[in-house]
Amino acid sequence: MFLKKANKFYKKILNNGKQDFYLIPFKIIFYLFSLFFLFGIKIRSFLYNNGILTTRKLNCKVVSIGNLSMGGTGKTPLTIFLAGLFINEKKKVAVLSRGYKGKKLKKSKIVRDEREFFLNPVEAGDEPYLMAKQIKAPVIIGKNRYLSGKLAIKKYSTEIIILDDGFQHLGLFRNLDIVIINALDYPGRENLFPLGYFREPFSHIKRADLILIGKSSNQNVTTGLEEKIRKYKNDVKLFFMDLYPEKIIDISGEKNLPLAFLRDKEVAAISAIAHPEHFFLIIKDLGAKIVKKYIYPDHHIFTMNDIKKWEREKIDDIYIILTEKDAVKLPRVIEDKFKFIVLSVKVRIEPLKEFVDIIRQKILG
């Protein structure tokens, strides 16, 4: 409960356009901390650029998918898409992730291989577990991506490694650096943490080989964002990415429902993702009426207190819709108590053919 309130207050400080007087001291403190954060970033970049810290290379092709900002930009769906592309080309693929909320695992752990799971969603983290569930290829978590990569090569003869959330991981060489910029984070949110949502200055976009602008439905925002990107990397090819609903899945996973199933239905929506507003918008666009919203911090693990609240508010007689990422965290014992359904989304990239051609040329060529 405390974390939920703290997260809400933090967002209020960052998104407050009226400059409420009582929030100004917090913004000043955040600004000072962001300067320390910037100082640390510059030192780290200097150490890597001058060879004091080394960038190691694995004996396989490496694709990094990352972003500049904190929170969801669509990295997980894009990772799933690329893994599927490489698997269809008969390549041996592995995905490397830091794990749940960047948990500092000193030893690499295998979430799953081609045949079976070794970790549950709590141990692995919601995103690595979801990727493992959909990709059906080795997914390995651990702080040291180099050691995780060596494990993948030794144990599975991996030919292509995908680094989930790898843009800031300068210690590992990559053949292709893909960066997603969330249009919802621009303009106004590109200050450095904790004053904003960015992990490093916007100018560092110059390290990227391919850039995708995500959630790009607002043309005015997209145009301004394109201009800013061109300021730092004029020759880069820009692509546009969004998530679209594919199907509704029964929580058991045994049957799929058409998207029209939601039309004119009253539903409760549960979200523990970075940008729940996009999830809610998709539900409304599908014709459903959201009568209850339950918003939790990103990566939140559902507890008995959450379940008791749902029971008290008597939402067991209507459908409860979740994202696939949140669905993997539901305790099995409550699946029969509520009418859970899951919204499955897929990534849409434009222009797709050109994007895939570049991937094939850089990685499969």
Side-chain angles (χ1 to χ4, degrees):
M1 181 61 72
F2 172 77
L3 288 176
K4 185 177 178 180
K5 289 183 177 179
N7 185 57
K8 186 176 180 180
F9 183 64
Y10 175 67
K11 288 184 176 180
K12 183 176 182 180
I13 295 170
L14 265 57
N15 300 332
N16 184 255
K18 298 177 182 178
Q19 295 296 328
D20 291 338
F21 181 76
Y22 75 98
L23 295 178
I24 293 176
F26 292 99
K27 286 205 168 187
I28 293 173
I29 293 171
F30 285 176
Y31 171 72
L32 294 175
F33 274 105
S34 71
L35 292 179
F36 284 112
F37 192 53
L38 177 61
F39 181 66
I41 292 169
K42 287 189 175 295
I43 289 178
R44 184 169 177 264
S45 297
F46 174 83
L47 294 176
Y48 274 108
N49 291 339
N50 289 276
I52 300 169
L53 292 177
T54 57
T55 298
R56 293 182 285 186
K57 189 172 183 178
L58 290 167
N59 190 28
C60 69
K61 294 291 181 72
V62 177
V63 179
S64 169
I65 298 174
N67 56 3
L68 289 173
S69 62
M70 298 178 177
T73 55
K75 296 186 301 294
T76 298
L78 182 59
T79 299
I80 293 169
F81 170 80
L82 285 182
L85 175 67
F86 297 141
I87 290 170
N88 287 339
E89 296 284 346
K90 310 301 181 185
K91 297 295 182 180
K92 293 184 177 180
V93 179
V95 175
L96 309 185
S97 174
R98 289 176 303 168
Y100 173 62
K101 285 190 176 180
K103 183 186 290 185
K104 295 181 178 180
L105 298 171
K106 292 182 179 179
K107 186 177 180 181
S108 299
K109 292 187 177 182
I110 300 170
V111 180
R112 74 160 295 164
D113 59 17
E114 295 95 335
R115 296 179 298 277
E116 60 181 322
F117 280 86
F118 302 104
L119 300 179
N120 63 41
V122 175
E123 294 167 332
D126 48 13
E127 289 169 351
Y129 192 87
L130 176 60
M131 289 187 289
K133 185 178 178 182
Q134 297 206 9
I135 294 170
K136 296 179 174 60
V139 174
I140 302 172
I141 58 174
K143 178 187 176 185
N144 192 318
R145 308 286 184 97
Y146 178 72
L147 294 181
S148 294
K150 288 187 70 175
L151 174 63
I153 295 169
K154 180 180 179 181
K155 196 171 181 68
Y156 303 112
S157 301
T158 299
E159 298 170 286
I160 300 174
I161 280 174
I162 302 176
L163 292 184
D164 171 51
D165 199 10
F167 191 57
Q168 285 75 34
H169 195 81
L170 303 179
L172 186 62
F173 172 83
R174 67 286 315 270
N175 302 88
L176 187 64
D177 232 329
I178 302 174
V179 173
I180 308 169
I181 299 179
N182 189 348
L184 298 177
D185 288 332
Y186 179 87
R189 293 185 175 187
E190 66 268 30
N191 290 320
L192 282 181
F193 178 82
L195 188 62
Y197 291 94
F198 272 48
R199 303 175 180 184
E200 54 184 310
F202 197 99
S203 59
H204 287 196
I205 197 69
K206 59 191 175 186
R207 297 203 314 268
D209 298 309
L210 290 178
I211 297 174
L212 293 101
I213 297 177
K215 299 182 175 69
S216 52
S217 57
N218 188 322
Q219 187 61 46
N220 291 332
V221 170
T222 301
T223 301
L225 188 51
E226 285 187 61
E227 291 174 355
K228 185 160 186 176
I229 292 169
R230 297 291 182 200
K231 177 181 176 183
Y232 298 106
K233 196 169 179 85
N234 187 50
D235 60 340
V236 72
K237 177 62 184 176
L238 294 179
F239 295 88
F240 300 91
M241 187 187 92
D242 213 334
L243 302 178
Y244 70 94
E246 180 190 25
K247 59 190 173 184
I248 305 295
I249 306 172
D250 180 79
I251 191 65
S252 66
E254 295 179 357
K255 65 176 181 177
N256 296 333
L257 303 167
L259 294 175
F261 175 81
L262 284 179
R263 191 174 299 137
D264 299 325
K265 282 188 171 61
E266 291 189 345
V267 299
I270 296 175
S271 171
I273 60 176
H275 294 290
E277 63 277 5
H278 192 249
F279 172 55
F280 298 146
L281 183 60
I282 291 176
I283 297 171
K284 290 177 181 177
D285 286 345
L286 291 173
K289 180 182 179 182
I290 303 176
V291 295
K292 277 282 185 182
K293 291 180 182 178
Y294 298 91
I295 301 174
Y296 301 93
D298 197 12
H299 303 293
H300 175 76
I301 300 295
F302 300 119
T303 65
M304 285 308 300
N305 286 335
D306 299 324
I307 296 164
K308 288 176 182 177
K309 181 177 181 180
W310 304 340
E311 290 176 332
R312 284 196 306 271
E313 299 193 359
K314 300 186 184 303
I315 59 171
D316 54 330
D317 60 338
I318 61 175
Y319 284 99
I320 305 171
I321 188 165
L322 309 94
T323 66
E324 291 174 292
K325 172 179 162 180
D326 288 332
V328 300
K329 297 176 292 185
L330 281 178
R332 294 293 178 194
V333 294
I334 71 160
E335 288 185 1
D336 295 332
K337 290 186 177 182
F338 301 92
K339 296 160 67 175
F340 289 114
I341 53 175
V342 182
L343 178 65
S344 175
V345 299
K346 292 193 78 170
V347 67
R348 179 189 286 127
I349 299 169
E350 295 180 359
L352 178 60
K353 184 181 183 303
E354 190 172 352
F355 178 79
V356 171
D357 286 346
I358 292 175
I359 298 294
R360 286 200 171 105
Q361 177 187 350
K362 295 273 189 180
I363 304 300
L364 300 173

